[in-house]
Amino acid sequence: MNDCGGSLVCVRCGARYPNDHYDRPCSACAADNIASNLTVAYDQRPGEGRAREAMRRGPRSLWRWDAFLSASASAAVSLGEGDTPLLPVPALGLGDVWIKDESRNPTWSFKDRLASASVTMARRFGAKLIASSSSGNAGASAAAYAAKAGLPCIVFTFNGAAGPLLTQMRAYGAMVAVVEDRDDRWRLQAAGVKRFGWFSTSPFFGPVVGSNPYGIEGYKTIAYEIAEAFDWRPPDWCVLPVCYGDALYGMWKGFEELKAIGWIDRVPRFVAAEVSGSLAAALIAGDRMPPPRPRNAATIATSIGANQGTVQALEVLRHTKGAAVAVDDDDLLRWVATLASTEGIWAESSAVAALAAIEQMRGRGTIGPKDRVVALVTASGLKDVAPIEKTLRPAPIVRGTLDDVLRALDETYGFHHG
């Protein structure tokens, strides 16, 4: 276990800050008109001196990797998150692609890793309340882990957020506040942080830099699990749905840490699947910061619906010679249905963005025919059923004999019994 890290450092310029500056961006970069997040810097190299085999003996959660994290497993606020399956998906026709299925986490999304790591540190810092601004997954996770920690939780969300997600937050006991103007979420949360010292797990100011640095440490464990599953031979590519790049940065940092202690010999290239095109534009133009890229219409991929990427995401793509790929709603709907009907994995619309990006990159030859690729599927389709429900045939109402049922199945689904 690493004790809180000696400090926090800027992901871009390396400026160093005290370990309680988790609720603010890098002031050195801000003076240069760049919004950049901080990350945890440890007093010793994470994992150094530990044996790979020892990692198998810890709790069956992300906290078996506590030698790489900010707190010990014994101090963790945990619901058994992590250790999600890594599954081959040959029926998709995308080549050597594996899915890291994060819908198997306790609240059915990858945000549980961030929530467990951040709420653990919130309790350690003596926080009295957990706060989140969220359209869904982050708020649901924050609510669940706050409940486990015995802390009150407030979630600011907006009109139009998916109904099942709002119900999930409320079921965990969160105080959900719905604002009419999306920007009010951050304004109100920032006021609570300043006035009462609320512990924020999510972004709450703009331009957005990313989530709480201690929370992002939880995403490193996705990299550790992938490396372990492949017998410490990393894939060639990791492709993720990206909004603010928290998981992107955390996974990259995790692979870098494994390489630094000699457990792996290389780091995968990373791809950001986005809806705005902000990161892609920054890579093409060589911008220091991703530009805003407003859309003419809302996307069904609300979990990655931001109009502007972050510096932390851009840094990862540049470090790994990666790429950013814009995906559209039609491709997302097609991949939700394809993944569910061929591999038995029902993911939310945002969660299949990686598959749409892989399809494009395979088609262009950017991802080679023999390259091994891991796609992060971030959340369950039960989180937001409306987009896919509109594309499905209504189930027929049947009565009478079995022959009547077979006729109805033929008419509705084109099914012919052999």
Side-chain angles (χ1 to χ4, degrees), residues 83-121:
D83 270 342
T84 54
L86 184 63
L87 305 169
V89 284
L92 298 184
L94 294 175
D96 188 8
V97 172
W98 297 65
I99 279 178
K100 183 66 169 165
D101 186 4
E102 290 291 288
S103 71
R104 313 295 183 93
N105 279 300
T107 76
W108 318 317
S109 95
F110 72 137
K111 295 289 186 180
D112 290 348
R113 296 183 190 257
L114 180 140
S116 179
S118 58
V119 174
T120 293
M121 295 306 294

Side-chain angles (χ1 to χ4, degrees), residues 65-361:
W65 304 97
D66 64 353
F68 295 83
L69 300 173
S70 304
S72 66
S74 62
V77 178
S78 177
L79 294 170
E81 59 294 319
D83 270 342
T84 54
L86 184 63
L87 305 169
V89 284
L92 298 184
L94 294 175
D96 188 8
V97 172
W98 297 65
I99 279 178
K100 183 66 169 165
D101 186 4
E102 290 291 288
S103 71
R104 313 295 183 93
N105 279 300
T107 76
W108 318 317
S109 95
F110 72 137
K111 295 289 186 180
D112 290 348
R113 296 183 190 257
L114 180 140
S116 179
S118 58
V119 174
T120 293
M121 295 306 294
R123 192 162 65 178
R124 188 163 182 170
F125 281 116
K128 304 300 183 185
L129 182 144
I130 303 299
S132 175
S133 293
S134 170
S135 61
N137 288 326
S141 291
Y145 284 82
K148 180 66 174 177
L151 293 170
C153 177
I154 183 167
V155 180
F156 292 100
T157 190
F158 55 85
N159 270 324
L165 284 160
L166 296 182
T167 302
Q168 190 179 18
M169 297 176 204
R170 293 160 58 206
Y172 292 132
M175 298 172 283
V176 177
V178 181
V179 300
E180 294 183 350
D181 185 334
R182 290 191 183 200
D183 291 342
D184 283 346
R185 296 179 301 159
W186 293 351
R187 178 179 62 80
L188 294 168
Q189 186 166 331
V193 170
K194 182 177 181 179
R195 183 173 176 184
F196 297 113
W198 292 351
F199 190 95
S200 177
T201 60
S202 68
F204 62 94
F205 52 81
V208 179
V209 297
S211 294
N212 188 296
Y214 291 108
I216 293 174
E217 292 295 284
Y219 288 134
K220 297 190 307 185
T221 59
I222 302 175
Y224 307 151
E225 291 170 18
I226 291 170
E228 180 185 54
F230 286 139
D231 197 24
W232 309 103
R233 292 187 291 271
D236 300 293
W237 299 84
C238 288
V239 187
L240 292 73
V242 168
C243 185
Y244 299 133
D246 294 335
L248 185 78
Y249 189 86
M251 284 180 63
W252 170 72
K253 185 178 179 182
F255 280 117
E256 287 285 349
E257 289 178 349
L258 293 180
K259 185 173 181 290
I261 59 174
W263 287 16
I264 60 174
D265 61 3
R266 59 183 176 82
V267 171
R269 297 173 73 180
F270 278 83
V271 178
E274 57 177 351
V275 296
S276 70
S278 175
L279 290 166
L283 288 172
I284 292 169
D287 293 337
R288 299 188 303 169
M289 193 169 156
R293 291 290 296 268
R295 294 181 305 279
N296 294 326
T299 175
I300 61 171
T302 55
S303 293
I304 57 172
N307 292 332
Q308 185 175 15
T310 60
V311 167
Q312 66 180 5
L314 190 58
E315 288 291 306
V316 171
L317 300 182
R318 284 180 170 151
H319 275 296
T320 65
K321 296 181 171 60
V325 177
V327 298
D328 62 33
D329 284 1
D330 289 342
D331 284 339
L332 296 178
L333 284 172
R334 177 168 55 84
W335 277 110
V336 168
T338 300
L339 182 62
S341 62
T342 60
E343 294 288 352
I345 300 171
W346 180 21
E348 72 169 7
S349 302
S350 303
V352 297
L355 299 177
I358 293 167
E359 181 181 42
Q360 289 187 43
M361 295 185 73

